[in-house]
Amino acid sequence: MDDKFAKREISLRYWLQGKGFHMALEAMDFAKGFHTGLRRDGVTPEFDHQVSIGHYVRTLESSLIFAEQTFATIFLHDVREDFDVPDAEIRNRFGDRVADAVDAMTKTFRGVKRPAAEVFQRIGDDPRASVAKGADRGHNHRSMVGVFSLEKQVEYLAETKEFFLPMLKRARRAFPRQEPAYENIKHVLTGEIELIEAIHAAMRAEPADAAPGPTP
C-alpha cells in the first residue's frame, strides 16, 4: 500500500472515531472493500479518491447539517454505479437518508443512464449529496490533469459550469445552514476551472512560443 495514502487514511479514521461517526466508519470499510484497484494514473490507490474528499469535507464539517451521513455518502457514492451494489443493501446497512443520497448521485446503474438534469436536480435537493457531489468534482478536477486528454478535460470543465455550479446554488438556497460549505466548494471549483483553463491556454500557445528562430 502507498505509504502516503495509508497515513492519510489512518488520520481520517482517527478523526471520524474522535467525532463518534461510527456509521461513517462502517461505510468507509464497506466501500474500501470494493475500491481495491488503482486510479486511472495506474499508481494511486482507487480509494484515495474517497479519502481525499473526506479530508476536504473535514474542513467543512462545522457547517454541515447531517455531517456523519454526509461522510457516509462520500465513501459510498460510487459503489452502486461502479460495482452494482443494490440500493436495498445500502438502505439496510446505512439507512434511508444515506441510501437516498447515494442513489441521487448514481448517474448510471446496470446500464440505465439517468438524464443529467434529473440527476443534478435530485442532488441539489439533498443536503448530503449536494456537498458530497461538489467535493467529488473538486477532486476530479485536481486529478485529471495529465491523465485525461485535453478534450476530456474541457468536457469536464464545461459540465462543471453547466451542472455543478447551478446545483450548488440550488442547494445553498434549499439548505441555508450549509451556506458556508457551498460557498467554499464553489470557490474551490471556480478557482480550479480558472487554473486548468490557464494551463490549457499555455499548452496551446507553447508550440508557437517554442518554435526556433531563423538560423543565422
Side-chain angles (χ1 to χ4, degrees), residues 153-172:
Q153 292 177 39
V154 170
E155 288 177 11
Y156 250 61
L157 297 184
E159 185 182 50
T160 302
K161 294 175 186 177
E162 182 178 1
F163 294 109
F164 284 78
L165 297 180
M167 177 275 290
L168 292 170
K169 185 175 183 180
R170 179 186 183 92
R172 186 181 66 220

Side-chain angles (χ1 to χ4, degrees), residues 39-42 44-46 48-50 52-53 135-149 153 156 192 196:
R39 287 179 61 79
R40 289 183 179 91
D41 62 5
T44 308
E46 187 177 313
D48 179 76
H49 176 58
Q50 284 73 14
S52 295
I53 298 170
D136 170 52
R137 177 46 59 116
H139 188 253
N140 285 335
H141 281 174
R142 293 189 295 278
S143 58
M144 72 180 181
V145 176
V147 178
F148 286 175
S149 69
Q153 292 177 39
Y156 250 61
E192 289 170 343
I196 295 169

Side-chain angles (χ1 to χ4, degrees), residues 80-91:
R80 293 199 64 216
E81 187 165 317
D82 292 349
F83 303 102
D84 289 346
V85 175
D87 174 75
E89 183 168 3
I90 297 173
R91 208 164 288 278

Side-chain angles (χ1 to χ4, degrees), residues 170-191:
R170 179 186 183 92
R172 186 181 66 220
R173 290 174 175 172
F175 311 108
R177 282 178 54 191
Q178 295 195 150
E179 191 268 350
Y182 295 126
E183 280 298 296
N184 187 298
I185 295 169
K186 181 189 77 173
H187 283 292
V188 167
L189 293 182
T190 54

Side-chain angles (χ1 to χ4, degrees), residues 4-81:
K4 184 178 179 181
F5 165 70
K7 290 176 181 177
R8 294 170 63 251
E9 181 189 353
I10 290 169
S11 69
L12 183 57
R13 285 183 180 278
Y14 277 121
W15 183 83
L16 292 167
Q17 288 173 355
K19 286 289 181 178
F21 290 170
H22 302 298
M23 184 269 289
L25 280 165
E26 291 177 17
M28 186 180 190
D29 288 332
F30 179 78
K32 186 181 178 183
F34 292 95
H35 294 285
T36 58
L38 298 175
R39 287 179 61 79
R40 289 183 179 91
D41 62 5
V43 176
T44 308
E46 187 177 313
F47 199 58
D48 179 76
H49 176 58
Q50 284 73 14
V51 170
S52 295
I53 298 170
H55 273 294
Y56 169 52
V57 176
R58 280 178 59 178
T59 68
L60 311 177
E61 184 263 337
S62 63
S63 300
L64 303 183
I65 303 170
F66 305 106
E68 182 173 17
Q69 293 175 352
T70 300
F71 280 96
T73 301
I74 288 167
F75 297 131
L76 297 167
H77 77 271
D78 279 332
V79 298
R80 293 199 64 216
E81 187 165 317

